[in-house]
Structures are given as C-alpha cells and as structure tokens.
Amino acid sequence: MEAVQAAAEAATQATAPAVATTPPEIASALCAPDAAAANASAAIAEAAPNASEPASMANASLAAVATEAATTHAPAADNAAAPATNAGSAAVATEAEAAAAAAVPRLLVHRLEKYLKKRQFVKHVLEAAGITYASVKKPPSTTATVAFASRDDLERARKLLDGMQFKGQTLVVETWEENTQRKREDVQQKRIAVMAAAQEPPQKRKKTEDGDASAANAADEEDQCSEAAPVGKIPAHVNEVVAPNYGTPYVDQLEVKGKAVGQTLLHVCQQIRKQCKGKLPAWITAPPPPPQKFHCPIAYDHKVVASPVTEGYRNKMNFSVGTDVQGKPCVGFQLGSTVEGVTVVGYSDDCPLVSERIRQLRSAFQALVERSGLPPWDKVTHYGFWRELHIRALQSGQTMVTVQVYCNEGDARLESVAQQLRECFLPLGVDSLQLQLHGGISNAADTDAALMQLHGPRAVRESLLGLSFNVSHESFLQVNSAGAALLYGAVRDLVHEAAPGGDALLLDVCCGVGGIGQVLAPLVKRVVGIEMVEKAVNDAKANAELNKLTNVSYIAGKAEDVLPATLRQFTAEFPTAPVIAIVDPPRCGLHSTVLKSLRCCERIGYIVYVSCNPKSLANDLIALCRSPSQNRRGTPFAPVRAVPVDMFPHTSHVELVVSLRRDTATPVPEKFRPRSQRCPATTVVTAETAQDALAPPADTGLGQEMACASGEKVHTE
C-alpha cells in the first residue's frame, strides 16, 4: 500500500509540480484497494501529457479526477481510513448506502419499442412469462422499470427476461444499482476525457475531440442498454453558459426572442390543425391577423417588452461549490452537464447576471471555503462537504443567504461551521442566514430538509407594485424584480380586459407567495390560491395580512389533487361570478389532471397562462385549445392575446403571458361533453359536502389545508 501511495504521489507531482497540497480526492483514493489505486495511477499516466512538458494547473485537476475513479469501487471498510475531517460525510455515505440497500428492488428492461404501451408490456412480456411484480413504469423510451416485492422475485424475473426475444429484439436487463454504477463509471471516464481535452493545445484539441467522439460511438455500439450522452467540453468563459447572448446588442436580443415567440405560437396552430384532422375549432378557421401567420395577436406592436434592468438584474443566485479547471475550490456555476462529464465549476466577476451585492457575498464565501479545509461536493464520487450557496438580494435592500452542506443533524462539525458562517456574513449586513443539511446524493434537497436558522428571521421582505411580500428560502419569486412589475402589470391588464366589472372569481394556480393574485385582488371579488409548497402558502397568508387583503384564500396541495374539489366548491359559492384562472406553472408545465379540470369546468371563461418555457407552454395550449375529443372533453379555449416580457436579458429565455377565452362557437358533440369532471353551475353545495370534496381519500394520506389570510379555515354556508 505504501508503494501505491508513493506512485500516486509521484504521478501527481510529475503532472503538477506547482501544486503544494494533495487534493482531498487524491487522499481519499489512496485509501482504496491496491488494484483500484493502481488503475487510477494508470489512468493518470495515460491521460497526462509528457512529464517533460511544462505542467499547468489543469494537469493537477486531471490527476485528481483520474485518481477519484478508484474511490468509486472502494469498499466501505477501506473508507474508514479517510481523514478525520470527513467522518461526517462518511457517516452520511454509509446511511445512504443502507437506505439504497433497503429500497424497493427494481429491474430495468432495455431494448423495448419506444412507444410500446405499458399494458402491452405487462401482458405480452411480464404476464406471458409468469412474472410476479409490484409496479411498472413504461415511459416513451426503450426502457421499462419493474419493481418487485422482494429480491427473490427480482432474481427470478431477471432469469426469465434476460435474453428474451420480443418483437425482433433481445431484451437486456439490469438492476437499478447496476444501472447507477454503470452510469457513474461512464461519467467518470467522460470527465477524464473532458479534462484531458481542456489542457490540450488548441491545434491538438480537434483531433482529441474527434477521438473522444469515436470512442463514445464505439461504446454506444457495445452498450445498447441506453442512449449514452456525448462527451462534453469546458467553455472558454463562464458567460458562454450563464449569459450566452451577452455579446449581442440588447435590441437584437429582443428581436430574436420575438421571433422565437412567434414560432411557438405558430407551432401551436400547426399542431392543432394536424391533430384535429379537419374537425377544427372555430377560432382557427378565421384568417390570422396580419402580418402574423398565427391566431394570437402579440400585444405592444408585436414586440417583446424589454427589461428595465439588463445588468445585475437577478435578485436570487444559486451557486454550486466544486473545483475549477485548476483543481481548486470554486463557488460559481457548473460549466456543463454532469452526464457529459463536465463537473468543473467556474466564476467570473464580469458575469452580467450577478449584482454587486451578490458578488460581495459570494466572494466572502469563496474565501471561507478555501480556508475551511473541508472539501467541495463532488457530484460523481458523492464525496465532500460544501454543496451550494443561495443568495437573495432583493430590491427592498434585504438579503438572505442559505448555505447547503452534505451532512446530517448531529454532525460534530456543524457548531464550528455555523460560527464560521456567522463570522463571514454578519459583518456584511445579511438579514437572514441559514444552513441547510442535505444528506442525499441528488442535486435538489427535499422540501423537508433540515434548515438551521443561524441569524435573523426565516423570511425577508420584497416590495412590488405597492405591496410587500415575505419570501422564505423555499418560496418562488420572480428573479427579476423590475421585470416582475411589468409582468404582473401585463397580467393585470389581461384580467381587467376579461372581467372589467370587478366581480370575478380568480383562481391563482401555482401561486407561490401569492404575488400575482394579491396584485389582482383589488380588481376581483375573490382570489383562491393553490400552491404545493406549504411554506410558500404560509408566506402567502402572511403577505395577505401584511397587505390588508381580506378577499384571498389559499390551499396547500398539488394542483392536480385539489383543483377539482376547489372548483366545485367556489363555483357553487359564487354561482353567477365569471371565473378566471391564472396559471404560472414550473418549467415542466401543467399536470394532465389540471389541464382536464380547467377544460372540463365550463364555468371557467378565461385563462391567463404565464410561462417561462415555450415547449411546455405549446403542449398545454394545444391541449386546451384543440377540438373536443375522447381525451380532451369540453369546450376548447381560444388564444386571444400574447404578451412576451423579457425577464432574463443575455439569455435565450423569455416569459410569455397568453390569455385564453372559451371558444363557445365550437360545437361539442354529446359524446365529448364532460362527465364526472363537469362543474355544475347551479348545484348547491352544503358545508358538509364541500368539506367532503376537499378532504383527501382515506387511503392516500394526502393532507390538504384551506385557510383565509387570517389563518382560519374556509367554510361554505
């Protein structure tokens, strides 16, 4: 073992003599078995350039990356020799391994037809082979996931399925653990290739990249279990990743985004014409307004509304903590995709998205990470301590800092780390300081992850359009405060256009901290907000009290779970009020159940859709606006107006607001009318039946809550 350690140290010194200390990853690899460490040394020797050439700091990172591969195969017993400062991380890793071992046994079945239906797979493969299973997932891909009640059932199924002939293909199976390990090894190899390409001279880089691509293609031919991601490369500057349009004049950026919005709306019309096959909705049969080719006028002379601020406009930044191309700790942005082998983190002070206040706080934390002696988190080896830095610097002047680390409650290092964070940030005037403990291996922490309040209140306050909003760490708020004022103003104009009388019932779906709904509250009779993050709902209630709004209520729960019952209750409570739905979903768009509820409740006359993702917006608009069918029952909607607002200068993203109204001119055949999903306009709902409708099924365990701004439950008289 001493000989292996000496060889690894010699290889590191040969490739990077300028590095004074051994990175934590190499120290961890030295604790691995001799064979694994020898493989790491061989990888270093193969990937490193001639030792006689001048070595750059990137060579040191390459050596560390190659040596890290050994830690992937190291047994838990050998990891006990890791440095004492990493004891907490080792404990968490052990817990994670134990949890994985106790997880539901799952088997992945590869080489199926991409669009093979789940029922066909179950009938013709599982049931035909006499396999006992617990559940099956078959998305539109070539792989199905089968869960089993026991490991014995899994092993029996594996023997029956592996090599089975089905529709001209030989099926290949692997366990969930084998799949995870294979992907990790693939990423590890890609990372070595990425770092090797990063240090090659420019004239040699093209040849290296071609070789990497050839190797990736060869690997794809050998392993047909899944579609392997290509090998990535490290960009020359961080702005290529976070602000790719920074070098383009802002006027030209707006023009490009305007064309992209037009293409999205045109795609919606084309797909509806294609899907409806002659039975077109009435709204699409009329000629589009010139000079457009699509049936949805873009407001403000067909132009994108410009952001009032284009430099340092983000009020929230999420920084990753990792290592830069030189192998040093870095608080910044990941410069590529992990599955493509790019785990390098980079940062530059000339990034146009970052404000001066956030730069100051990030710089202070960077210095803390460097002097702490605790390693950054590695997304491939799942080793390290510092994970992420979240900063909210609001235009109100208040600031929140949340530091995410890899450990669990009770870790001996937490007290010292908490004190270091206080000493780092409190002199800089931070209003709220939090430490989040994330002991999992996924990038995103669970909503119930432990959050230690180190200083100040749990939430900070933002001011917008004359209202105040409390914002906690988990809450969603538009990242461009100046642009949000324009966005909310556009939504307000569309709602006033739809219901100028002020007597409307407004459903605010995916309401976050209640921003849009509370801005619109003075224009309508009642606002009902729905949000799945319970802490955000608590913020929304507090904001309503803060803004002295008495006509708002909030429901905690997933929109797809609570929206049908909510519609039944409040449309009965306000039998004559026009109903408007505001939807501001995440990037993935609306759940299919939400789409069905919105379309089938004929009382909803208008929808205002706020989207940050053109692809999911197009899919949802097609579902809402196409002709009635077996799967899309009820009267369709028609697009009325679109308002694009640039909330993200120097990027390709744009916020798009689209107003929809019921297309009552489109006839709905009786067979396509809503059935059980129909919201009766005249049915009287008693207090008991309303509460029963809102209550979750007994066997789901789903908790729901409805409360007014005062915190009291809503009851229907």
Side-chain angles (χ1 to χ4, degrees):
M1 192 67 178
E2 294 178 358
V4 174
Q5 178 173 346
E9 290 177 348
T12 305
Q13 293 171 1
T15 54
V19 179
T21 59
T22 303
E25 293 83 356
I26 295 181
S28 177
L30 297 179
C31 301
D34 292 2
N39 291 338
S41 299
I44 297 171
E46 180 180 354
N50 193 313
S52 62
E53 297 179 1
S56 65
M57 293 299 289
N59 297 43
S61 182
L62 173 61
V65 167
T67 310
E68 282 173 9
T71 63
T72 305
H73 308 282
D78 292 331
N79 288 337
T85 56
N86 302 323
S89 296
V92 174
T94 302
E95 293 178 7
E97 292 171 1
V104 176
R106 286 174 288 182
L107 200 64
L108 277 69
V109 183
H110 302 289
R111 298 185 182 176
L112 297 169
E113 290 183 353
K114 182 175 182 178
Y115 294 106
L116 179 71
K117 299 295 184 182
K118 172 183 172 181
R119 62 178 180 272
Q120 295 174 327
F121 172 71
V122 169
K123 179 179 179 180
H124 298 295
V125 177
L126 299 183
E127 293 180 353
I131 293 174
T132 302
Y133 63 94
S135 63
V136 175
K137 289 184 178 180
K138 175 58 179 72
S141 71
T142 58
T143 299
T145 303
V146 185
F148 300 89
S150 67
R151 182 66 58 175
D152 291 339
D153 289 345
L154 180 146
E155 293 299 336
R156 179 177 176 274
R158 181 173 192 163
K159 293 178 182 178
L160 294 172
L161 294 175
D162 198 11
M164 174 188 287
Q165 295 294 320
F166 181 66
K167 292 195 173 185
Q169 290 289 335
T170 302
L171 302 186
V172 176
V173 300
E174 61 180 344
T175 65
W176 185 271
E177 294 79 10
E178 291 169 347
N179 178 265
T180 302
Q181 180 67 17
R182 177 172 58 81
K183 289 181 177 179
R184 182 185 296 183
E185 292 174 354
D186 178 62
V187 171
Q188 194 71 277
Q189 293 300 320
K190 289 176 182 176
R191 182 157 69 165
I192 294 174
V194 166
M195 297 304 299
Q199 64 182 348
E200 287 287 348
Q203 61 271 22
K204 294 184 179 181
R205 190 170 294 186
K206 185 177 186 303
K207 181 178 179 181
T208 302
E209 290 173 0
D210 292 342
D212 292 341
S214 299
N217 292 336
D220 287 345
E221 293 177 0
E222 294 178 2
D223 179 16
Q224 300 179 14
C225 293
S226 61
E227 298 178 1
V231 177
K233 63 179 181 179
I234 301 173
H237 195 280
V238 66
N239 283 346
E240 295 181 25
V241 177
V242 297
N245 299 333
Y246 184 42
T248 304
Y250 188 53
V251 175
D252 295 340
Q253 293 183 34
L254 294 178
E255 183 177 352
V256 171
K257 292 182 179 183
K259 292 180 179 179
V261 168
Q263 287 297 319
T264 297
L265 298 175
L266 179 61
H267 173 73
V268 171
C269 297
Q270 292 174 339
Q271 288 300 309
I272 289 178
R273 289 182 181 276
K274 181 179 179 180
Q275 293 181 16
C276 294
K277 298 179 180 179
K279 299 179 181 179
L280 298 175
W283 66 267
I284 206 172
T285 58
Q292 299 176 166
K293 297 180 180 179
F294 44 86
H295 298 70
C296 184
I298 298 179
Y300 306 113
D301 297 327
H302 314 286
K303 295 180 181 179
V304 177
V305 179
S307 172
V309 181
T310 60
E311 302 285 333
Y313 59 86
R314 287 188 65 99
N315 58 42
K316 180 184 179 183
M317 294 298 302
N318 295 340
F319 295 104
S320 298
V321 186
T323 55
D324 61 16
V325 76
Q326 299 176 336
K328 296 180 179 180
C330 180
V331 180
F333 308 101
Q334 185 169 333
L335 300 183
S337 170
T338 300
V339 298
E340 295 181 359
V342 182
T343 59
V344 170
V345 174
Y347 177 77
S348 175
D349 275 333
D350 64 355
C351 177
L353 278 58
V354 184
S355 67
E356 186 58 38
R357 173 61 168 161
I358 294 180
R359 287 193 188 100
Q360 178 192 32
L361 297 171
R362 188 218 69 88
S363 180
F365 184 65
Q366 172 75 46
L368 171 60
V369 170
E370 291 176 356
R371 66 174 180 266
S372 69
L374 296 171
W377 173 253
D378 189 299
K379 293 184 178 180
V380 178
T381 63
H382 302 154
Y383 166 84
F385 183 79
W386 303 109
R387 299 189 69 147
E388 292 183 354
L389 171 68
H390 303 166
I391 302 176
R392 287 188 189 268
L394 306 178
Q395 66 178 5
S396 64
Q398 295 196 10
T399 307
M400 171 185 287
V401 173
T402 304
V403 176
Q404 185 187 98
V405 297
Y406 181 71
C407 69
N408 287 332
E409 294 181 86
D411 192 298
R413 298 168 295 178
L414 286 180
E415 184 176 351
S416 173
V417 168
Q419 184 58 31
Q420 292 180 57
L421 291 175
R422 293 188 186 97
E423 294 173 356
C424 174
F425 289 113
L426 297 193
L428 300 178
V430 170
D431 298 284
S432 177
L433 177 60
Q434 300 169 337
L435 179 62
Q436 186 179 50
L437 311 183
H438 178 20
I441 61 176
S442 60
N443 291 336
D446 294 334
T447 55
D448 59 350
L451 194 65
M452 300 172 58
Q453 192 69 37
L454 305 183
H455 171 75
R458 186 188 64 85
V460 288
R461 186 168 297 178
E462 178 65 304
S463 299
L464 196 63
L465 293 177
L467 300 177
S468 297
F469 298 97
N470 288 325
V471 185
S472 61
H473 169 69
E474 301 86 355
S475 300
F476 170 78
L477 183 71
Q478 293 289 346
V479 298
N480 185 340
S481 296
L486 297 178
L487 178 70
Y488 292 174
V491 175
R492 181 175 56 190
D493 292 344
L494 294 175
V495 169
H496 180 69
E497 181 181 295
D503 58 344
L505 167 64
L506 184 70
L507 299 173
D508 190 2
V509 183
C510 309
C511 65
V513 297
I516 295 179
Q518 294 188 24
V519 168
L520 300 176
L523 303 179
V524 298
K525 189 171 185 179
R526 183 69 175 272
V527 177
V528 180
I530 299 174
E531 172 60 46
M532 65 178 294
V533 180
E534 187 171 356
K535 292 181 180 178
V537 171
N538 294 334
D539 287 339
K541 296 177 192 175
N543 294 335
E545 292 183 3
L546 186 64
N547 295 315
K548 299 179 180 180
L549 299 173
T550 58
N551 63 334
V552 296
S553 304
Y554 293 99
I555 303 172
K558 292 183 178 181
E560 58 267 27
D561 294 333
V562 302
L563 182 59
T566 303
L567 288 171
R568 285 194 293 270
Q569 177 185 351
F570 284 97
T571 52
E573 185 177 344
F574 300 94
T576 61
V579 182
I580 303 173
I582 305 289
V583 293
D584 186 7
R587 290 191 61 81
C588 59
L590 291 172
H591 192 278
S592 59
T593 304
V594 177
L595 290 170
K596 182 182 294 185
S597 298
L598 292 173
R599 181 157 174 154
C600 288
C601 182
E602 300 284 347
R603 281 286 309 281
I604 298 178
Y606 292 88
I607 295 177
V608 179
Y609 195 123
V610 183
S611 171
C612 60
N613 185 355
K615 184 176 181 180
S616 60
L617 168 69
N619 292 336
D620 290 349
L621 290 186
I622 292 169
L624 291 169
C625 299
R626 60 154 292 156
S627 298
S629 67
Q630 189 69 28
N631 294 326
R632 301 298 178 192
R633 296 177 176 273
T635 306
F637 287 88
V640 177
R641 199 179 315 281
V643 183
V645 182
D646 186 21
M647 300 285 287
F648 317 101
H650 311 305
T651 74
S652 59
H653 304 295
V654 63
E655 201 88 4
L656 182 58
V657 184
V658 180
S659 63
L660 311 171
R661 61 165 173 77
R662 285 284 179 183
D663 185 18
T664 54
T666 298
V668 181
E670 184 64 30
K671 62 180 180 179
F672 294 147
R673 293 185 181 277
R675 295 172 182 171
S676 59
Q677 300 89 358
R678 181 182 301 177
C679 295
T682 57
T683 301
V684 178
V685 179
T686 65
E688 290 77 12
T689 58
Q691 292 302 317
D692 291 341
L694 287 172
D699 58 341
T700 64
L702 175 66
Q704 302 174 15
E705 179 185 3
M706 175 176 290
C708 292
S710 61
E712 298 179 355
K713 291 186 177 180
V714 175
H715 294 281
T716 305
E717 297 295 330

